Amino acid sequence: MAKTVSAAFGRLSDGRTVTKYTMENRGGMRVSLLDYGAHVQSILLPHSGGPLEVTVGFDDADGFENRSNYQGAIAGPYANRIGGGRFEIDGVEYRLDQNEKGVTTLHGCGEYTHTLWETAVADDGAVTFRYVRPDGLHGYPGAIDARVTYALGDDGRLSIRYDCVSDRKTYINPTNHTYFNLGGFDSGDILSHTLQLNASRFTPVDEYSIPTGGTLPVAGTPLDFTAPHAIGERIDADFGQLRLTGGYDHNFCIDGADGTLREAASAECAATGLRMNVYTTLPGVQFYAGNFLKGGLGREGKPMNRRCGFCLETQYYPDTPNRPEFPSCLFDAGEHCVSETVYEFVRI
Ligand code: BGC
């Protein structure tokens, strides 16, 4: 149960106002959200030296609009990549805008991220953002009515619940793309964090980060996080899959995924004594180590350097529309795509 207040955050370049919603729990943890992109703008954890900001991102609307690498964003309607920017449904081919290298479609071309969502705040402080997309935007089929609800518990659990329904059969796969640094947003890289992933298989990719088909075991590779390892221990190993992506940027297949809320990952920072556990109902999680961050200016005007934050993006597997062997995220007209992901913050 959180107390939620709203305030103006800034303006977009076309003059529209961005509103910030801050949920605070009884322990003094504060999570701020924006109606623009349904972003997680900030997560402040109570800490010995004062509140600790554990998300890497922006404190100005211009950052979210113009300097974003999806910091805190909701990505959709199809997060991650679609190979060749095309797929078929019932024998009809859909050609999408290819916003990455002119070849692939990434994060729905930023559609969800760069939209002003409608907002409703519930009596328990939960915040629901809603956006109904027009059918065919960026070539993508379906007028999808998407709702994303953030709720903060007194137990340090930030829950994100997605409920999307389309007027025609289509693929649906939203995610949240927060970059975390449990040492604090300006504490340097995340290489000394330890990570555990409850995933004994991953989806191997090609040079465009598109799955090549099927899954492979992580055992015996630097992608094996079934026991905790420092992120930096093997990130630059001479291993084909890591060379292709410049470090960890892979979808991991969550062991035993069955649609119920399961622990997918946990990350720890020894310097601050903080741990984040990630639970999800979804079958996959993209572990992205921030390899492509290039020093763009973020919060307090500080540069967001390579690997200064990591993402654990819960999702259906990338390129599922072209991979019938992957768990399906094709939904009929009127069928709801519902999922939940929880980021839980605890002191170790
Ligand atoms: C992708 C990265 C990409 C990042 C920002 C992640 O989900 O896996 O390859 O650079 O998003 O767009």
Side-chain angles (χ1 to χ4, degrees), residues 251-306:
N251 169 65
F252 289 77
C253 312
I254 299 164
D255 288 338
D258 61 359
T260 64
L261 205 57
R262 306 184 71 89
E263 184 162 349
S266 72
E268 267 181 34
C269 173
T272 52
L274 289 171
R275 175 195 292 162
M276 180 178 77
N277 300 318
V278 183
Y279 306 84
T280 189
T281 61
L282 290 163
V285 60
Q286 181 88 5
F287 166 42
Y288 170 51
N291 312 301
F292 299 125
L293 294 174
K294 293 190 175 73
L297 297 187
R299 208 182 290 288
E300 296 178 10
K302 294 184 178 165
M304 294 176 291
N305 294 321
R306 187 169 191 236

Side-chain angles (χ1 to χ4, degrees), residues 69-70 80-81 100 106-107 177 179 209 249-250 286 288 292 313:
N69 314 96
Y70 297 91
N80 212 311
R81 295 179 171 86
E100 191 184 40
L106 175 64
H107 295 326
H177 201 291
Y179 291 72
S209 285
D249 192 0
H250 292 82
Q286 181 88 5
Y288 170 51
F292 299 125
E313 304 153 53

Side-chain angles (χ1 to χ4, degrees), residues 25 145 149 152 164 182 219 258 288 313 326 341:
N25 72 8
D145 184 345
T149 299
L152 178 63
C164 304
L182 301 176
D258 61 359
Y288 170 51
E313 304 153 53
F326 290 170
T341 294

Side-chain angles (χ1 to χ4, degrees), residues 36 50 112 196 214 221 234 269 296 298 304:
Y36 182 64
Y112 279 9
Q196 180 163 11
T221 80
R234 303 164 298 174
C269 173
M304 294 176 291

Side-chain angles (χ1 to χ4, degrees), residues 199-202 204 215-221 223-224 239:
S200 47
R201 305 186 76 84
F202 74 106
T215 64
L216 285 178
V218 296
T221 80
L223 276 68
D224 188 352
F239 180 69

